[in-house]
Amino acid sequence: MKFLIKVALLLFCTIHVAWAASIVIDAGHGGHDPGAKRTFDGVTYLEKNLTLKISQQVAQEFRTHGHDVAMTRTKDQFLNLNTRLLKGRQLCQNAFISVHIDASRQEKQTQAQGATVHVYPTANTRTRKIAQATQRALNPKRRYKISRFRVIRDKKPSCVSMLVEMGYLNNPNDLKKLNDPKYQREISKKLAQSVSNGLTKYKNYAILNSI
Ligand SMILES: [Zn+2]
């Protein structure tokens, strides 16, 4: 009987570990949802393709920091918001990062540029500290924002949850950079490094929700 209990316990632990990841990367959009879309010089760029490419780089960079990483999608696939929320809630141990590309409302080119980090209004102090550090690392000209993006709410308090807009699709400079594999690697490296450092540095900060 004792043996059976041990086996059951071992099985439970194995399944539990298999279902958890230090970091969850959520590549925005996919499938029939292209996200933002802009055409420059006859070429059409879709947010869903860029988010997937960059998310794969971000995942790779987190792995070099010793984290195990899960992705909500690894191909051009549509996932509804609830699936993303559920995966984040089930899997995330340390951080959930939703990757997007910004686009200003007007079709025309924008002066706005660079990355913006978003956290949910109920984000705890630890999440805010890490968001601030990450914003500084990615684009010091901006401040991180408090936004009601549903995909980053309802996570475990220990899971730092943020949405990162990597740049602007309708800013030609950003678009050129975001399509460059070297820049994709660079920005992914900064993001992974900043979050990894933050997780260690702010380990003891309050993780109770702020409101
Ligand atoms: Zn998006």
Side-chain angles (χ1 to χ4, degrees), residues 46 102 152 177:
L46 304 178
D102 235 331
I152 48 171
K177 287 198 278 183

Side-chain angles (χ1 to χ4, degrees), residues 6-152:
K6 270 187 190 166
V7 170
L9 206 66
L10 195 71
L11 263 175
F12 173 78
C13 291
T14 313
I15 290 166
H16 185 74
V17 168
W19 274 91
S22 171
I23 310 288
V24 179
I25 307 294
D26 174 48
H29 311 280
H32 64 75
D33 166 23
K37 189 171 146 183
R38 290 292 184 277
T39 303
F40 277 113
D41 296 332
V43 183
T44 300
Y45 299 91
L46 304 178
E47 182 183 355
K48 67 170 184 175
N49 295 336
L50 282 171
T51 59
L52 183 58
K53 272 187 198 145
I54 295 172
S55 292
Q56 278 160 339
Q57 296 275 7
V58 173
Q60 195 49 42
E61 292 299 332
F62 270 110
R63 287 187 192 109
T64 66
H65 286 273
H67 294 282
D68 52 316
V69 182
M71 294 185 71
T72 55
R73 72 176 174 100
T74 53
K75 54 182 186 225
D76 186 15
Q77 171 194 18
F78 175 76
L79 293 178
N80 66 34
L81 202 51
N82 281 342
T83 308
R84 292 177 196 267
L85 272 170
L86 203 67
K87 282 195 178 188
R89 223 179 284 161
Q90 280 174 341
L91 299 174
C92 175
Q93 287 180 320
N94 291 313
F96 176 92
I97 298 166
S98 190
V99 175
H100 287 255
I101 315 292
D102 235 331
S104 58
R105 236 161 250 190
Q106 321 92 304
E107 275 295 310
K108 56 183 195 296
Q109 297 177 6
T110 179
Q111 294 293 314
Q113 59 178 333
T116 315
V117 176
H118 300 261
V119 297
Y120 204 72
T122 52
N124 56 47
T125 312
R126 183 164 159 263
T127 296
R128 286 165 194 252
K129 286 273 174 197
I130 295 176
Q132 195 178 29
T134 306
Q135 179 66 61
R136 218 177 290 140
L138 298 181
N139 181 11
K141 287 184 186 149
R142 293 188 154 212
R143 297 171 71 115
Y144 77 93
K145 285 188 176 170
I146 311 287
S147 309
R148 294 193 164 271
F149 290 123
R150 224 180 116 213
V151 75
I152 48 171

Side-chain angles (χ1 to χ4, degrees), residues 130-199:
I130 295 176
Q132 195 178 29
T134 306
Q135 179 66 61
R136 218 177 290 140
L138 298 181
N139 181 11
K141 287 184 186 149
R142 293 188 154 212
R143 297 171 71 115
Y144 77 93
K145 285 188 176 170
I146 311 287
S147 309
R148 294 193 164 271
F149 290 123
R150 224 180 116 213
V151 75
I152 48 171
R153 70 175 257 216
D154 290 345
K155 300 288 180 305
K156 289 176 214 118
S158 60
C159 172
V160 171
S161 196
M162 53 174 81
L163 184 145
V164 184
E165 306 264 19
M166 291 296 193
Y168 282 81
L169 203 62
N170 57 337
N171 178 311
N173 278 338
D174 274 8
L175 182 63
K176 199 173 153 211
K177 287 198 278 183
L178 291 166
N179 272 291
D180 176 5
K182 207 173 133 204
Y183 182 78
Q184 290 172 358
R185 210 160 39 239
E186 217 171 274
I187 198 164
S188 302
K189 198 172 246 176
K190 284 183 186 169
L191 173 58
Q193 195 155 31
S194 161
V195 174
S196 290
N197 290 349
L199 288 170

